[in-house]
Amino acid sequence: MTRMPEHLDIHLIRILYLLLCEKSVSRVALKLNQPQPSISGSLRKLRDLTGDPLLVRGGRGMVPTQHGESLLKAAKRILDETEGLFSPKTAFVPLEQARTFHIAAPDYMNNQFFTEVIARLRRESPKSRLVIHSLVPDVDYVRLLADGELDLVVGNWDEPPQHLHISKLFDDPIVCLMRANTAYARRTGKEGMTPEDFLTLPQVAPAQILPGYHGNIDSFLEHQNLQRNIVVESAHFRMLPYVVAQTDLVLTAGQQFASFYENLLGLKSYKVPLNFPPLRFYQLWHERSQHGTEHKWLRAQVSAAARLLAK
């Protein structure tokens, strides 16, 4: 019974492969620029490890044994895989290669933003796929990023997770959205909302959207010892403009989101009369993806789409 080596010696496998190909100790010594006795010693070691002569005398020199011949393909495969393991990373070529990218975002993200992201991916990497996942409270996006099931998470946070990589995308000012023919809208000018109006008007608001996310609007009010008049909460953010269009309720949201529905549903937006900080949107990713060329390309496309919104 032959004894397995404690450590796999790649150089020894290379010598095995060359001996089986060249069928000559002297030619292998020349190829590797090593003394012939060293190659002869390696052949003896290989014979001891395999329990087979590997090379024997033939009519016109050395020839592989049957067992030696059977090892040729396996040795070549190991050498090729080893070379590939340590070869330099090749850059992602968007127009030629296909990848599937996974991005998670809450449903209050602006339609124009993701439309631009999709258009860029279709134009720059037509063979690739994009999967947009919903970001809801029960989604552990930190684990999904760490496991590689998500490439990016896009959203807004008061304090993004510190251990993730982060890149700011854009700021979105906060506005109030209401039906254009409500009693309040009919008697109030475009810039006429007062702080008291904002706090007392009946409002519809999203329920908790992200894990640990209290919300920029209510966090700000809480720090000012203020509270708005929320009479309806919903986990389905994109239904809220339609609720506003059919009721006397007010929705406080980002300007980009509000502008889309203001035009679509004939609503009216007002500048909020309190000094709210804007909603600040980021893209987040894990260290495992930091240096991947396809991931760098994806982040660049998302950033470019965000810059277009800022113009």
Side-chain angles (χ1 to χ4, degrees):
M1 183 175 179
T2 58
R3 179 176 59 85
M4 291 295 293
E6 293 182 3
H7 301 287
L8 183 63
D9 188 337
I10 298 299
H11 181 62
L12 193 61
I13 294 175
R14 187 175 301 280
I15 291 174
L16 169 64
Y17 175 73
L18 290 174
L19 285 169
L20 295 172
C21 291
E22 298 292 335
K23 307 175 187 65
S24 167
V25 170
S26 59
R27 284 199 295 272
V28 172
L30 285 172
K31 272 185 172 290
L32 295 179
N33 194 26
Q34 291 186 10
Q36 187 169 321
S38 174
I39 302 301
S40 296
S42 295
L43 177 57
R44 285 194 296 272
K45 185 175 182 180
L46 287 164
R47 284 169 169 167
D48 179 55
L49 289 171
T50 61
D52 188 87
L54 298 176
L55 288 175
V56 294
R57 293 282 177 186
R60 297 183 179 180
M62 304 290 285
V63 294
T65 64
Q66 186 176 13
H67 183 62
E69 192 75 47
S70 72
L71 297 178
L72 186 61
K73 288 184 179 180
K76 178 67 163 59
R77 184 179 66 252
I78 290 171
L79 294 173
D80 287 345
E81 290 177 353
T82 302
E83 184 177 350
L85 185 65
F86 297 106
S87 61
K89 292 185 295 184
T90 56
F92 175 57
V93 184
L95 281 173
E96 299 176 6
Q97 294 177 272
R99 293 288 188 275
T100 298
F101 298 108
H102 294 265
I103 301 177
D107 71 346
Y108 58 78
M109 283 299 300
N110 178 265
N111 287 345
Q112 185 183 348
F113 171 74
F114 267 114
T115 299
E116 178 61 23
V117 170
I118 293 166
R120 285 180 175 274
L121 264 63
R122 293 297 305 141
R123 182 171 63 248
E124 305 295 333
S125 187
K127 296 180 181 179
S128 291
R129 296 176 66 240
L130 174 63
V131 182
I132 300 175
H133 300 263
S134 178
L135 196 58
V136 292
D138 60 350
V139 171
D140 186 355
Y141 66 89
V142 175
R143 180 189 64 79
L144 295 174
L145 286 171
D147 291 347
E149 294 181 43
L150 288 177
D151 295 298
L152 287 175
V153 172
V154 176
N156 71 295
W157 290 261
D158 290 331
E159 295 182 6
Q162 294 298 310
H163 64 286
L164 295 175
H165 290 278
I166 182 170
S167 172
K168 179 188 168 185
L169 294 175
F170 55 87
D171 285 341
D172 195 11
I174 292 174
V175 298
C176 283
L177 193 64
M178 66 184 70
R179 201 176 79 243
N181 62 350
T182 61
Y184 178 85
R186 286 198 303 268
R187 70 173 185 265
T188 307
K190 184 76 172 177
E191 301 295 332
M193 181 176 283
T194 67
E196 184 180 1
D197 291 337
F198 173 77
L199 295 174
T200 57
L201 283 169
Q203 297 201 28
V204 57
Q208 186 188 47
I209 296 170
L210 298 178
Y213 173 72
H214 181 50
N216 302 57
I217 296 166
D218 293 301
S219 291
F220 176 84
L221 292 174
E222 187 177 306
H223 290 142
Q224 306 296 319
N225 293 318
L226 298 173
Q227 186 175 6
R228 56 181 172 149
N229 181 24
I230 297 174
V231 298
V232 175
E233 287 188 50
S234 172
H236 304 288
F237 195 90
R238 287 193 179 273
M239 72 175 282
L240 300 187
Y242 296 91
V243 172
V244 168
Q246 300 296 322
T247 67
D248 63 340
L249 298 178
V250 175
L251 173 63
T252 304
Q255 186 176 59
Q256 291 181 13
F257 179 87
S259 295
F260 176 82
Y261 288 99
E262 186 175 6
N263 298 327
L264 180 69
L265 301 177
L267 305 178
K268 188 173 183 179
S269 67
Y270 288 86
K271 181 180 178 181
V272 177
L274 296 171
N275 192 27
F276 281 109
L279 300 177
R280 180 157 291 175
F281 287 84
Y282 305 93
Q283 57 178 334
L284 306 177
W285 65 95
H286 194 270
E287 173 64 23
R288 65 173 290 153
S289 307
Q290 169 72 355
H291 302 292
T293 58
E294 64 268 36
H295 202 277
K296 289 180 179 179
W297 176 84
L298 175 64
R299 299 195 304 261
Q301 304 313 304
V302 172
S303 295
R307 285 194 298 271
L308 190 69
L309 290 180
K311 291 182 179 179

